[in-house]
Amino acid sequence: MTSADPIPSSASDHAAEPIRRDFIRQIIRDDLDERRHEGVHTRFPPEPNGYLHIGHAKSLVLNFGIAEEFGGTCNLRFDDTNPAKEDPEYVEAIKDDVTWLGFHWHELRHASDYFEVFYLAAEKLIRDGVAFVCDLSADEVRAYRGTLTEPGRHSPFRDRSVEENLELFRRMRAGEFADGARTLRARIDMASGNINLRDPAIYRIKHVAHQNTGDAWCIYPMYDYAHCLSDAIEGITHSLCTLEFEDHRPLYDWFVDHVDLVHHRELLAPLDAQGWHEEAAKPRQIEFSRLNINYTVMSKRKLIALVQEQLVDGWDDPRMPTLQGLRRRGYTPSALRLFAQRIGISKQNSLTDFGLLEQALRDDLDAHAQRRMGVIHPLKLVISNLDESHEETLSFPNHPKDPEQGTRSVPFSRDVWIEQDDFAEVPPKGFHRLRPDGEVRLRGVGIVRCQEVVKEGDVVVAVHCTLDPETRPGMPGADRKVKGTIHWVSARHAVAAEVRLYDRLFDVPTPDDEDDGGPGYRAHLNAASKRIVQGWVEPAAAQLPAEHSIQFERIGYFVADRCDHAAQAPVFNRSVSLRDTWATKS
Ligand code: ATP
Ligand code: MG
């Protein structure tokens, strides 16, 4: 969708979404019109070396969204070719996140499911004279590679015979050599202007156990080799990846063409044991720009550091840009989809404003979240013309614009909590809430007038008011105008709640400034990004189930914490404030 397209008001309302016209969907439409493919098959290929973050959500929404729109399929494939950094903990978390976002994968695969196919394909490349075993060390390979302005030099091992290469490669697999002693390389072009084509490595020796294949292998395929062949094996028609792989595309195509699974289906024989009958196809790689958001860091390495150095409270810290963190913060799957639609897809690298993510959440919750009342900085208000034992039950709509959300009972009594901010002894100009001798409407109750301010020293501890009975709902004066309306919670019925006031994790737009001579992201952590206060909430808020989102009227959107919330001891996380308070700061 381009920025000129109308924005759907509700992300969950799929039918109302406008047709998206980004360049990738245009390519797919053309491919289908010209009958280059029978159907559309995409994949989401995370490496299980960390938790998914908001950037992955962009790729998920794109890949699963396209499959859905074109009546195709999308696989979830773990790109697990680098065993040293991978872990089953991440595999499980990724599956959980994808499911939470509401996506259903067609097949669940691992690149490692294809290790035997990759191996057979490598032997084919050797037999075809386009791959060789090289004995140069990593440093030597680097020295031979040349630079952007100078061609590389041929490895002295480049012209080994097919027989010698096959024998050495088999011995690599058998574990006869130490890590790094040899590599299998493609024999392409050491003078290519594209350095990726200068005899790139296909296999490296690594005596490391693998999270999926255990000790079965001590040689592992390189990403550039494994990724494109995995796509080809699964019959992926459009392999969507981020822009940094643009320069790798010629190599992607080179491997796909030289292995040529479409005409060498015998290479797929190892998959028969699995019961998989793959329709190999020639995939096409298309690149789009990755998501970057200000006020955050997104590389897995930095997210891991934040967790390990305990700068945050774990992967699901509500301030983290991980999907687990966003979920705990109260982000909904529909808000994340809405955000992904609004940012759209292009080839232009850019920095997205964090405010756009927050606005998607506000718009989603404004439409769907029920309203409750809660007070986070309490001040006692006593209605002196009511009996001390006065008690009644009021009926409040759950949603101001959606009567279908029904009503709830809200208890009311003589003493209520209001926000400290809603009273000012010396009001600033333009202050429309309660002041000495002033009037304000207590939401759903009527108009109260402040008669007395009770202080301990300089501190206001209570205000005493009278309630005008003529302004109660249903009375003739119910519509009498006053400038301000404030929320409240009956003190006798209120439930004490832990309220976690979260804000952005970093307090500058580009925290990751090390490369530009800055102090780095650790120095830009926002000290005010987490404040915990004890507030009071109405009973109907305390009783909400964990992970339920609401708006505390006039305060913001909150979610009952996924882990810690209980009806007797409620815990609410602030998901987002009602208005963007950062727009004016930056
Ligand atoms: P990182 O650089 O943070 O480690 P990655 O790109 O290595 O991320 P993968 O697990 O390999 O992470 O990514 C899985 C898929 O998600 C890939 O197709 C990748 O292009 C995509 N992806 C990752 N980060 C982003 C991002 N910021 N914006 C859009 N797509 C992304
Ligand atoms: Mg990666």
Side-chain angles (χ1 to χ4, degrees):
M1 156 167 135
T2 67
S3 52
D5 282 325
I7 286 166
S9 59
S10 157
S12 56
D13 190 2
H14 283 281
E17 285 169 22
I19 295 169
R20 289 182 283 279
R21 304 199 174 278
D22 55 70
F23 77 100
I24 294 181
R25 287 173 168 88
Q26 196 50 54
I27 290 173
I28 294 176
R29 265 190 283 273
D30 291 348
D31 282 351
L32 291 174
D33 287 350
E34 287 158 33
R35 303 209 146 267
R36 269 191 285 269
H37 304 289
E38 293 296 316
V40 176
H41 304 290
T42 57
R43 86 288 171 266
F44 175 69
E47 184 179 356
N49 62 351
Y51 282 76
L52 297 185
H53 51 60
I54 179 72
H56 293 110
K58 174 174 178 174
S59 174
L60 276 160
V61 171
L62 179 68
N63 281 292
F64 279 92
I66 282 179
E68 205 170 286
E69 286 156 47
F70 290 93
T73 59
C74 181
N75 285 354
L76 173 62
R77 183 202 311 143
F78 289 103
D79 221 328
D80 53 352
T81 54
N82 191 3
K85 288 193 290 175
E86 295 160 4
D87 195 294
E89 175 194 342
Y90 300 131
V91 171
E92 289 314 309
I94 290 170
K95 288 198 276 191
D96 201 38
D97 286 343
V98 174
T99 305
W100 173 67
L101 274 180
F103 296 120
H104 307 283
W105 52 82
H106 176 62
E107 303 258 9
L108 177 73
R109 297 292 176 86
H110 304 78
S112 56
D113 295 332
Y114 312 136
F115 277 177
E116 194 65 44
V117 177
F118 298 157
Y119 179 83
L120 294 179
E123 286 206 347
K124 174 186 184 289
L125 294 179
I126 293 173
R127 281 196 304 276
D128 291 347
V130 291
F132 66 99
V133 173
C134 182
D135 300 357
L136 293 180
S137 68
D139 285 342
E140 289 166 331
V141 168
R142 214 167 295 126
Y144 274 72
R145 189 180 293 135
T147 64
L148 282 174
T149 50
E150 278 170 57
R153 284 174 292 139
H154 282 178
S155 158
F157 306 98
R158 199 175 196 259
D159 294 318
R160 276 178 164 152
S161 69
V162 168
E163 290 67 35
E164 191 185 357
N165 279 321
L166 273 181
E167 191 214 314
L168 285 171
F169 187 48
R170 287 171 185 165
R171 289 173 62 197
M172 279 169 65
R173 176 180 184 166
E176 291 188 25
F177 310 119
D179 287 5
R182 293 195 154 91
T183 52
L184 183 71
R185 297 174 67 182
R187 201 167 184 275
I188 310 182
D189 179 6
M190 287 306 291
S192 173
N194 184 337
I195 292 188
N196 293 304
L197 295 179
R198 295 187 186 173
D199 293 3
I202 304 177
Y203 269 92
R204 60 201 186 291
I205 302 172
K206 235 180 200 166
H207 292 265
V208 175
H210 184 280
Q211 58 94 13
N212 190 33
T213 59
D215 294 326
W217 294 88
C218 64
I219 55 172
Y220 290 100
M222 302 301 291
Y223 172 87
D224 279 329
Y225 177 70
H227 193 84
C228 57
L229 292 188
S230 303
D231 286 342
I233 291 169
E234 293 174 20
I236 302 304
T237 51
H238 299 86
S239 176
L240 314 178
C241 66
T242 42
L243 274 180
E244 64 277 18
F245 291 101
E246 198 165 25
D247 288 346
H248 296 238
R249 193 184 338 129
L251 182 56
Y252 182 103
D253 291 336
W254 191 94
F255 282 132
V256 168
D257 290 340
H258 283 77
V259 171
D260 193 10
L261 287 168
V262 176
H263 298 104
H264 293 272
R265 301 187 46 84
E266 72 279 5
L267 299 173
L268 298 171
L271 302 181
D272 293 349
Q274 233 95 3
W276 293 342
H277 300 286
E278 304 298 316
E279 293 297 329
K282 185 174 156 67
R284 168 175 181 181
Q285 174 178 305
I286 306 171
E287 308 85 16
F288 63 95
S289 60
R290 65 169 45 232
L291 173 67
N292 297 300
I293 304 188
N294 60 12
Y295 292 98
T296 192
V297 297
M298 221 140 38
S299 99
K300 283 183 197 151
R301 193 168 53 79
K302 284 164 191 152
L303 295 178
I304 288 174
L306 287 172
V307 172
Q308 284 178 349
E309 295 168 28
Q310 296 177 13
L311 300 170
V312 296
D313 306 325
W315 285 103
D316 67 346
D317 185 305
R319 297 165 293 176
M320 288 281 272
T322 53
L323 295 185
Q324 304 257 333
L326 290 164
R327 177 176 181 179
R328 195 157 178 199
R329 178 75 173 262
Y331 273 80
T332 56
S334 46
L336 294 178
R337 287 173 183 236
L338 179 60
F339 170 68
Q341 283 164 29
R342 287 179 178 177
I343 55 174
I345 295 293
S346 79
K347 271 190 173 294
Q348 211 63 47
N349 272 319
S350 64
L351 189 62
T352 296
D353 185 35
F354 200 95
L356 226 56
L357 179 62
E358 295 175 327
Q359 192 55 41
L361 181 61
R362 275 188 206 105
D363 290 346
D364 182 52
L365 293 180
D366 179 42
H368 299 113
Q370 293 193 358
R371 275 43 170 178
R372 294 289 184 273
M373 292 197 290
V375 170
I376 57 175
H377 297 113
L379 171 67
K380 183 70 73 70
L381 184 152
V382 178
I383 301 170
S384 43
N385 59 340
L386 290 182
D387 240 29
E388 198 187 336
S389 61
H390 182 93
E391 202 170 300
E392 57 186 291
T393 303
L394 308 175
S395 175
F396 272 57
N398 283 324
H399 196 285
K401 288 172 256 179
D402 182 5
E404 287 192 3
Q405 300 246 27
T407 59
R408 69 183 190 282
S409 298
V410 179
F412 171 64
S413 61
R414 190 193 68 164
D415 296 0
V416 298
W417 296 112
I418 63 167
E419 294 290 344
Q420 288 167 14
D421 277 0
D422 284 336
F423 172 79
E425 208 180 3
V426 185
K429 204 164 166 281
F431 186 85
H432 294 313
R433 292 159 281 165
L434 195 61
R435 65 176 77 193
D437 212 29
E439 282 188 324
V440 78
R441 182 183 302 279
L442 282 189
R443 178 121 157 70
V445 174
I447 296 171
V448 292
R449 173 179 291 276
C450 175
Q451 308 285 10
E452 188 192 342
V453 180
V454 184
K455 293 168 82 169
E456 278 172 15
D458 283 344
V459 183
V460 178
V461 292
V463 288
H464 288 203
C465 300
T466 47
L467 171 62
D468 178 355
E470 289 302 306
T471 61
R472 308 260 1 231
M475 296 300 283
D479 292 335
R480 177 154 79 79
K481 295 266 175 294
V482 277
K483 286 245 170 83
T485 298
I486 64 174
H487 64 276
W488 52 272
V489 177
S490 163
R492 192 184 306 158
H493 305 92
V495 183
E498 178 173 322
V499 182
R500 300 174 180 167
L501 299 170
Y502 290 111
D503 204 343
R504 297 183 186 176
L505 183 56
F506 296 98
D507 55 13
V508 296
T510 51
D512 205 357
D513 59 5
E514 234 154 5
D515 293 343
D516 304 318
Y521 61 97
R522 291 178 184 82
H524 296 301
L525 286 163
N526 176 9
S529 62
K530 176 184 173 186
R531 281 175 298 138
I532 297 184
V533 298
Q534 202 246 258
W536 296 102
V537 301
E538 60 169 290
Q543 283 149 18
L544 291 168
E547 249 195 317
H548 200 92
S549 290
I550 47 163
Q551 183 196 97
F552 277 128
E553 288 194 34
R554 302 181 59 239
I555 304 182
Y557 293 99
F558 288 77
V559 67
D561 187 69
R562 227 187 134 187
C563 304
D564 302 334
H565 174 81
Q568 315 75 29
V571 179
F572 288 99
N573 300 333
R574 180 166 66 195
S575 309
V576 67
S577 56
L578 290 179
R579 272 169 295 278
D580 188 349
T581 51
W582 286 81
T584 47
K585 290 188 204 174
S586 52

